[in-house]
Amino acid sequence: MKPLTEKQLNEIRQIVQTGRVLTSESDRFSYAYDASFGTYLPDVVIQTKDVQELAELVKFANRELIPVYPRGQSTSLSGGPLPVKGGMVIDLSVMNDLLEIDEEDLVAIVSPGVLTADIHKAAEKKGLMYPPDPSSSHVSTIGGNLAENSGGPRGLKYGVTKDYVIGLEVITPQGEIIRTGGRTVKNVTGYDLTKLIVGSEGTLGIITKAILRLIPKPPASETVMAIFDSLVDAGRAISRILTSGILPAKMELLDQASMVAVENYQPSGLPKDAEALILIELDGHPIAVRDEAEQVFRVCREIGAREVRVPQTKEEKEQAWKARKLVSPAIVRVKPTKISEDATVPRSKIPEMCRRLQEIKKKYNIDLVVFGHIGDGNLHPNIIADKSDKEEMRRVEKAVAEIFEAAVELGGTLSGEHGIGVMKAPFMEMELGAAGLEMMKRIKQAWDPNNIMNPGKIFPEPGQKLVLSE
Amino acid sequence: MNEPFTSLREELRYEKTNRCVQCGYCLPACPTFLTMGKETHSPRGRINLVKMAAEGKIQDLSALEEPLDLCLGCRACETVCPTGVEYGVILESARAALARRKKYTVAKKAMRSFLFKKVFPSRKAMNLLGNAMWLYEKSGAQKLARKSGLLKNMPAHLGEFEAVLPQTVSPAERSRLPRFTPAQGEKKYTVAFFVGCVMDAMFHKINQLSIQLLAQVGCDVIVVENQTCCGALHAHAGEVEDSKQLAKRNIEAFERHDVDFIVNNAGGCGAMLIEYDHLLADEPQWAERARQFAQKTRDISQVLVLCGGVQGKAGRAERVTYQRSCHMTNVQKVTREPLQLIQSLPNVELVEMEEANMCCGSAGIYNLVQYDASMEILDHKMKHVKDTEATTVITTNPGCLLQMKLGIEREKLGDRMRAVHLVEYLAERAGIAEPQPQPVASQS
């Protein structure tokens, strides 16, 4: 792309009357990254709360063929907001004024810059719950969550972001403002554009408002923690729990490498010689969750867990979940670069996926730990490396490709919740097939004929390969 | 740039910037990101800029200047960072690298040199400053200046700060800080008291009360001779060599006495003292001595709790709130003790404010040099302070204390709210100090 001309920048300044137009070197570099890989310098960064101004900007960009990159707070792990072709970054985190809870309609109406955790808090104040809870919810914006269709540990019982969106306001790539869906749970009028936009990673438009479904907040929760000498037994325990009529809110797994990393970082009493730790949270009516916790306890015992704990106090519960929280910081102490994948497989294939991951780890001699939302098959194989070691990074590239292949072969998917972005684009055809990918391209073409909206994402460029060794 | 590329990389501590995985968890903890609303003024943004400069992607280092200048250095980002990025080290190294290359105007250079080399490190100069303030206050010049409106026209908003400066003590009284104060009752510890430069000149009274409190709970208190400024303001401004010199002078001075603890009452100074081991890690003759010094360093609240706390008398019922010192929280990691001390006082109700861990915007001399940014942060803080409906705001650092006083002035809450140092409050509640005049509204 050609850099923007001074004339174009002036026109942008004309359009953005109420916000900021940032062009200094320090500002542009500050919007050149996300939580994944690479630095891509935008020509200009725009902040405005005014939807009309944004629509005008998009019209202008569409006319002048300037790439537009919508962005929340850039916690993306797949490159979603990266301005890979320069152009303009639109910082929607400033659009954070609207957060309205309607108790009667059981909905939240929000602007895209509102932090997900603030929606949680506002809903809880009224005894309600917005279930999707990505681990970064205290930093991530709801706009980013919508664009990427974020998940989180509660996916098993409550589903993901798209399951809670019933209406949107969107600026199309031609600069029109459209509304999809509405405030009703039931709505079958025409194509479901709401679901199409959610998870489209900012390639079909800019979300400027959303109507989210809320549910009553479960009054009680219980935690069960179980340690297994064998990973296979842990997998069996999970299957047994889920087939015995219990649907936990969360089921998290830590493998041996994660436990060793946590113990070396901050000793928390985890056994370094055990193969798996599972953490289960049950929520619902207090009497029901008590009973379910006891059942889960019994199942884990019967299958042969080395140790099962049901923490009683709030502090003990927090302590149990702390081990899970410590995994991420613990593993980066080993080496600085973390490649966090989210390949997801059908639940029944989890033991097989774990086995394959161990093979890949040995084959490429890489530091690989596995943890994540085992209840919904969304594992997080994390590779720990040092990006200054080019030779190691090339091994990592091969290992990542093989992880994707394994997931797809087992009937799973490239991405459970992080999105495709830049990094996974080269693998799209492997999962979707040529015709499937082509259908998606045609949708993109119909929405955005000039390809100005978040170009360079989802769809691979000819010959594009995964590159981690910059 | 005409120097070898690798040296700039090392200077900027490139290896430490690489620890940042850019997850963004620091964003909600950063006061400047919150008030200025752009990534450029966030920890993640600043680390990235340093990284880009080290990688040669940013050639002109002046692009880093404003983002680094506007950082408060509160280090709240370090506390929330899931991967343990040493932001403080990156910030100070980058500032030092900039300071080395910066061509200050002659006047600014002279001012920096005067402040950092002559004023802060010199007891004499700080004494002089303290004396001048006392004279100013007592002579009626203050009244005159306030009345004449002269202060409003002073540069750098000094006028506003003048209004909140503490009551000073006379030069005669200040020279009487006792060399040795014996423990009352059974002696539990021997401690050396770190007087600090700003604390000594402007908050001498708090130093006096600190010594009395320490003695009351069972400490022999020594005021070590030849101690000097901790060097924090120098380090924050990129004058690392100066702070190393000051650290060495302090280590030498305190080594002469065999004490259990080196006690300070200023969150910012304490944070500097406790990091002497990092500061001097590369100097073999000093590293071990610095480590011992750092190990003995304690905030006064820690020692008071260790000795069993302060016995408060049943005084007036009051609601208070506690504004944390960032450096005490994020660097010294002292968080429980001040709360414990306050909560143990009879008739005192502690109400925590929202975003209690957020900086007040004082940050050393930040409120002087970055006045507008600082006031925006302060105004944000004051909203939460007001919501607590407390009548006293308790602080543990001189900068925070002044800033909270300023915040109370700005919000025109002077008739129902005051700011004090924890030591003053404890002393008052223990019956050691005369209670400061209460705000009018709360007396009724």
Side-chain angles (χ1 to χ4, degrees):
Chain A
M1 276 302 298
K2 276 190 302 209
L4 295 192
T5 62
E6 201 45 48
K7 183 167 168 281
Q8 287 172 320
L9 286 172
N10 280 335
E11 207 152 331
I12 290 171
R13 290 189 190 101
Q14 281 296 313
I15 297 169
V16 183
Q17 291 290 325
T18 64
R20 292 197 278 201
V21 178
L22 311 175
T23 52
S24 76
E25 192 179 23
S26 58
D27 285 334
R28 285 162 60 221
F29 268 104
S30 301
Y31 289 82
Y33 55 80
D34 65 1
S36 68
F37 278 81
T39 304
Y40 302 91
L41 216 52
D43 293 313
V44 58
V45 181
I46 291 142
Q47 299 180 314
T48 172
K49 291 169 186 275
D50 189 302
V51 179
Q52 289 302 334
E53 284 180 11
L54 276 185
E56 282 306 310
L57 263 182
V58 175
K59 264 185 201 145
F60 172 71
N62 191 41
R63 199 176 69 225
E64 302 278 318
L65 306 181
I66 301 166
V68 177
Y69 290 96
R71 173 200 188 272
Q73 292 221 102
S74 265
T75 56
S76 176
L77 292 167
S78 60
L82 292 178
V84 293
K85 295 187 188 297
M88 50 172 101
V89 162
I90 299 192
D91 178 10
L92 294 152
S93 69
V94 300
M95 217 186 246
N96 59 0
D97 294 344
L98 179 65
L99 170 51
E100 190 187 309
I101 306 288
D102 187 323
E103 291 161 274
E104 214 165 320
D105 289 349
L106 282 177
V107 293
I109 299 125
V110 297
S111 50
V114 172
L115 299 187
T116 314
D118 288 339
I119 304 176
H120 291 149
K121 275 185 229 150
E124 269 169 38
K125 265 190 200 156
K126 305 215 163 160
L128 300 170
M129 172 160 94
Y130 172 67
D133 65 335
S135 307
S136 56
S137 61
H138 63 296
V139 195
S140 65
T141 63
I142 187 66
N145 286 186
L146 291 161
E148 299 292 326
N149 192 7
S150 307
R154 284 194 198 130
L156 169 62
K157 180 171 182 176
Y158 293 104
V160 296
T161 302
K162 71 164 181 243
D163 299 312
Y164 294 88
V165 192
I166 55 175
L168 293 175
E169 180 186 88
V170 180
I171 300 175
T172 69
Q174 272 113 339
E176 310 291 342
I177 300 172
I178 61 165
R179 284 171 193 83
T180 73
R183 286 169 87 107
T184 59
V185 172
K186 291 181 172 177
N187 180 331
V188 295
T189 306
Y191 292 148
D192 192 346
L193 296 184
T194 310
K195 293 282 197 286
L196 177 62
I197 299 286
V198 174
S200 65
E201 305 193 15
T203 59
L204 299 182
I206 300 174
I207 298 167
T208 50
K209 198 193 280 182
I211 303 168
L212 308 171
R213 269 182 80 186
L214 304 174
I215 60 170
K217 182 176 154 39
S221 71
E222 289 287 342
T223 293
V224 183
M225 179 172 142
I227 292 160
F228 291 87
D229 286 328
S230 110
L231 193 58
V232 177
D233 282 350
R236 279 172 52 219
I238 286 160
S239 303
R240 181 83 70 82
I241 292 162
L242 291 167
T243 50
S244 61
I246 298 172
L247 188 55
K250 299 179 189 173
M251 274 184 144
E252 295 289 301
L253 168 85
L254 271 68
D255 75 348
Q256 189 168 9
S258 329
M259 283 192 274
V260 170
V262 169
E263 281 307 298
N264 291 344
Y265 166 50
Q266 227 182 78
S268 310
L270 303 179
K272 286 190 190 182
D273 57 337
E275 276 191 9
L277 176 146
I278 56 176
L279 271 165
I280 295 164
E281 188 177 281
L282 304 143
D283 67 0
H285 189 278
I287 298 169
V289 291
R290 256 301 73 194
D291 185 60
E292 286 176 353
E294 277 165 27
Q295 280 191 57
V296 169
F297 180 88
R298 270 201 308 278
V299 168
C300 292
R301 275 273 179 232
E302 279 164 26
I303 300 246
R306 176 200 287 200
E307 194 190 336
V308 192
R309 267 184 255 164
V310 184
Q312 297 300 315
T313 62
K314 193 171 162 250
E315 288 73 30
E316 284 172 14
K317 274 185 205 173
E318 274 166 16
Q319 188 60 33
W321 284 97
K322 203 176 145 202
R324 168 68 178 85
K325 285 213 173 104
L326 284 175
V327 177
S328 284
I331 58 181
V332 288
R333 301 286 155 139
V334 187
K335 284 182 202 164
T337 311
K338 186 174 91 155
I339 297 103
S340 171
E341 286 309 332
D342 64 327
T344 303
V345 294
R347 202 152 34 223
S348 59
K349 295 290 195 285
I350 288 170
E352 173 62 11
M353 186 66 185
C354 288
R355 199 185 58 73
R356 297 236 191 152
L357 288 171
Q358 296 313 316
E359 269 177 28
I360 294 168
K361 177 179 179 173
K362 271 204 207 97
K363 182 172 167 188
Y364 294 104
N365 186 27
I366 47 168
D367 282 311
L368 177 95
V369 300
V370 182
F371 60 98
H373 322 312
I374 195 158
D376 53 26
N378 183 193
L379 296 169
H380 284 306
N382 270 245
I383 300 171
I384 312 306
D386 183 345
K387 72 176 167 202
S388 58
D389 183 343
K390 299 273 184 272
E391 190 273 329
E392 181 183 31
M393 290 309 280
R394 273 190 288 277
R395 277 184 283 131
V396 171
E397 282 165 9
K398 288 186 188 145
V400 169
E402 217 160 295
I403 291 172
F404 292 149
E405 279 161 29
V408 172
E409 258 177 52
L410 294 174
T413 177
L414 297 174
S415 177
E417 57 186 4
H418 295 168
I420 299 302
V422 189
M423 280 173 70
K424 292 180 205 142
F427 305 94
M428 286 289 274
E429 194 172 323
M430 181 173 81
E431 180 172 337
L432 300 169
L437 185 58
E438 181 55 31
M439 278 312 288
M440 285 194 189
K441 280 186 186 162
R442 279 194 234 164
I443 294 175
K444 166 75 174 168
Q445 176 68 25
W447 274 74
D448 182 14
N450 292 332
N451 194 27
I452 59 147
M453 203 51 88
N454 208 4
K457 308 297 167 66
I458 303 186
F459 303 106
E461 313 257 311
Q464 187 183 338
K465 285 205 175 79
L466 172 71
V467 180
L468 298 170
S469 47
E470 281 179 66
Chain B
M1 207 123 317
N2 47 15
E3 60 224 293
F5 190 53
T6 45
S7 103
L8 179 64
R9 257 191 195 210
E10 276 160 30
E11 263 185 85
L12 293 172
R13 307 303 291 265
Y14 179 64
E15 84 286 359
K16 291 201 188 289
T17 65
N18 260 332
R19 283 258 151 205
C20 174
V21 297
Q22 302 181 330
C23 66
Y25 282 26
C26 51
L27 299 179
C30 177
T32 54
F33 177 70
L34 214 71
T35 53
M36 300 177 197
K38 61 179 177 176
E39 189 85 18
T40 325
H41 298 304
S42 74
R44 177 172 72 168
R46 293 180 181 114
I47 293 167
N48 177 64
L49 288 171
V50 174
K51 197 197 283 181
M52 291 296 111
E55 287 180 5
K57 287 183 182 148
I58 291 179
Q59 297 275 325
D60 181 359
L61 286 187
S62 67
L64 275 62
E65 222 167 85
E66 192 197 54
L68 294 180
D69 281 352
L70 283 171
C71 174
L72 295 150
C74 71
R75 291 166 71 176
C77 47
E78 281 184 33
T79 298
V80 297
C81 178
T83 64
V85 176
E86 294 168 78
Y87 179 80
V89 176
I90 297 170
L91 175 70
E92 288 191 356
S93 312
R95 280 182 175 168
L98 287 186
R100 259 174 236 130
R101 288 163 182 77
K102 176 94 183 157
K103 291 178 186 62
Y104 290 111
T105 58
V106 176
K108 200 162 178 191
K109 209 175 202 168
M111 188 63 184
R112 270 174 84 90
S113 158
F114 174 67
L115 271 178
F116 289 127
K117 295 194 200 301
K118 296 285 188 306
V119 179
F120 296 130
S122 155
R123 288 293 296 279
K124 220 165 139 190
M126 287 307 282
N127 274 337
L128 206 63
L129 187 67
N131 295 351
M133 276 175 48
W134 176 79
L135 191 69
Y136 168 70
E137 195 175 294
K138 297 296 165 210
S139 66
Q142 186 180 41
K143 242 186 206 159
L144 190 72
R146 281 181 181 174
K147 236 180 172 167
S148 66
L150 192 70
L151 291 168
K152 286 193 192 110
N153 302 318
M154 280 172 72
H157 308 271
L158 283 172
E160 285 177 50
F161 289 97
E162 191 276 347
V164 297
L165 287 179
Q167 249 186 339
T168 51
V169 293
S170 74
E173 203 180 335
R174 285 206 298 126
S175 65
R176 280 207 302 267
L177 205 55
R179 290 277 147 75
F180 178 80
T181 309
Q184 290 169 27
E186 187 206 346
K187 187 192 111 177
K188 292 171 186 148
Y189 298 105
T190 304
V191 303
F193 185 68
F194 182 81
V195 298
C197 53
V198 176
M199 280 308 290
D200 189 50
M202 292 171 66
F203 296 98
H204 188 78
K205 192 88 199 161
I206 298 173
N207 276 353
Q208 287 176 340
L209 293 173
S210 297
I211 291 171
Q212 286 177 44
L213 275 177
L214 285 166
Q216 198 193 43
V217 299
C219 295
D220 275 354
V221 187
I222 303 169
V223 175
V224 172
E225 269 185 273
N226 296 325
Q227 55 175 302
T228 183
C229 162
C230 67
L233 294 173
H234 306 72
H236 301 334
E239 306 287 341
V240 182
E241 282 313 311
D242 289 349
S243 50
K244 283 186 182 170
Q245 289 312 317
L246 295 170
K248 288 174 188 169
R249 271 168 60 190
N250 275 324
I251 292 168
E252 269 174 348
F254 282 86
E255 271 173 348
R256 291 202 196 97
H257 300 265
D258 181 25
V259 296
D260 299 305
F261 303 120
I262 298 166
V263 182
N264 71 85
N265 59 11
C269 300
M272 188 67 212
L273 300 177
I274 211 165
E275 289 199 321
Y276 275 3
D277 51 344
H278 292 296
L279 186 71
L280 297 172
D282 298 334
E283 300 195 28
Q285 344 50 312
W286 289 95
E288 177 53 27
R289 294 162 76 182
R291 201 181 58 81
Q292 295 210 3
F293 183 98
Q295 261 179 3
K296 283 185 181 175
T297 294
R298 294 288 186 284
D299 181 73
I300 187 168
S301 63
Q302 292 175 291
V303 177
L304 293 177
V305 167
L306 209 57
C307 292
V310 174
Q311 293 307 312
K313 294 180 177 155
R316 194 174 56 88
E318 185 185 27
R319 177 181 284 189
V320 301
T321 192
Y322 172 49
Q323 169 52 33
R324 288 153 175 71
S325 147
C326 295
H327 280 179
M328 204 152 122
T329 303
N330 303 315
V331 184
Q332 298 187 66
K333 313 278 182 207
V334 177
T335 50
R336 284 194 335 269
E337 288 87 350
L339 295 173
Q340 267 172 280
L341 290 167
I342 298 168
Q343 279 162 336
S344 73
L345 298 171
N347 287 344
V348 174
E349 180 200 6
L350 174 71
V351 177
E352 290 268 40
M353 66 184 92
E354 281 274 306
E355 294 179 1
N357 281 333
M358 195 68 79
C359 180
C360 65
S362 155
I365 50 172
Y366 187 93
N367 50 7
L368 291 173
V369 290
Q370 303 290 352
Y371 177 81
D372 293 332
S374 166
M375 289 308 114
E376 217 176 307
I377 293 163
L378 176 60
D379 292 346
H380 185 81
K381 169 84 11 192
M382 288 312 293
K383 270 188 255 155
H384 299 316
V385 172
K386 241 195 300 194
D387 287 344
T388 64
E389 294 182 4
T391 46
T392 297
V393 186
I394 297 172
T395 62
T396 47
N397 183 57
C400 314
L401 177 54
L402 277 180
Q403 182 85 340
M404 293 321 292
K405 284 176 187 246
L406 188 61
I408 291 169
E409 286 273 311
R410 281 169 72 85
E411 298 286 327
K412 306 202 175 11
L413 292 170
D415 60 338
R416 65 199 112 123
M417 192 185 274
R418 61 173 183 156
V420 296
H421 189 287
L422 175 65
V423 163
E424 292 176 276
Y425 198 66
L426 292 173
E428 183 182 309
R429 283 278 164 174
I432 292 175
E434 289 283 308
Q436 286 186 6
Q438 288 295 330
V440 188
S442 62
Q443 274 176 342
S444 57

